[in-house]
Amino acid sequence: MSLEVAKSNEAKILSWKFGDRLATISGTDIKIKLRFGTDKTNLSATATISPKATIDSKPASIKDYTNAVDFTIKAEDGTTKKYKVTVTISKNEKDKI
């Protein structure tokens, strides 16, 4: 007799960072405001995802965030969830972030 363990259906991004800046995650929308002068065309991120899940594109790879970027998380059981990462830049050095 063998016991089969159910595969995880968790397909979540738990945290998302650019450098020391932590993004806000609301549902499947990830938003972050970065310092004035940051180049949105040349960013890499750090992400924490659900255990046993995979992500379709490595956040640490340099990407252009001029427009929102989609990432898909795939759970161990094949369940998928698409997240949208939107980056805005402060308008000036005095703008609060």
Side-chain angles (χ1 to χ4, degrees):
M1 183 167 126
S2 65
L3 180 62
E4 190 171 317
V5 178
K7 292 183 177 183
S8 172
N9 64 356
E10 290 290 316
K12 293 181 181 177
I13 293 179
L14 305 172
S15 70
W16 191 275
K17 288 174 68 172
F18 288 100
D20 63 349
R21 301 284 305 146
L22 187 62
T24 301
I25 301 173
S26 178
T28 58
D29 291 323
I30 300 173
K31 296 183 179 184
I32 189 164
K33 188 174 193 177
L34 298 177
R35 290 177 180 85
F36 176 77
T38 300
D39 182 2
K40 289 199 312 185
T41 67
N42 191 31
L43 293 174
S44 66
T46 305
T48 303
I49 62 174
S50 301
K52 300 184 181 181
T54 58
I55 190 165
D56 67 335
S57 178
K58 294 181 181 175
S61 299
I62 302 288
K63 292 186 182 30
D64 181 349
Y65 287 87
T66 301
N67 299 305
V69 177
D70 292 334
F71 290 87
T72 301
I73 307 299
K74 185 176 184 179
E76 184 183 30
D77 73 352
T79 301
T80 61
K81 188 179 287 186
K82 185 183 285 187
Y83 285 80
K84 181 178 293 207
V85 180
T86 304
V87 175
T88 56
I89 303 298
S90 296
K91 295 188 187 318
N92 58 56
E93 292 178 12
K94 295 178 183 177
D95 195 13
K96 299 237 190 247
I97 56 172

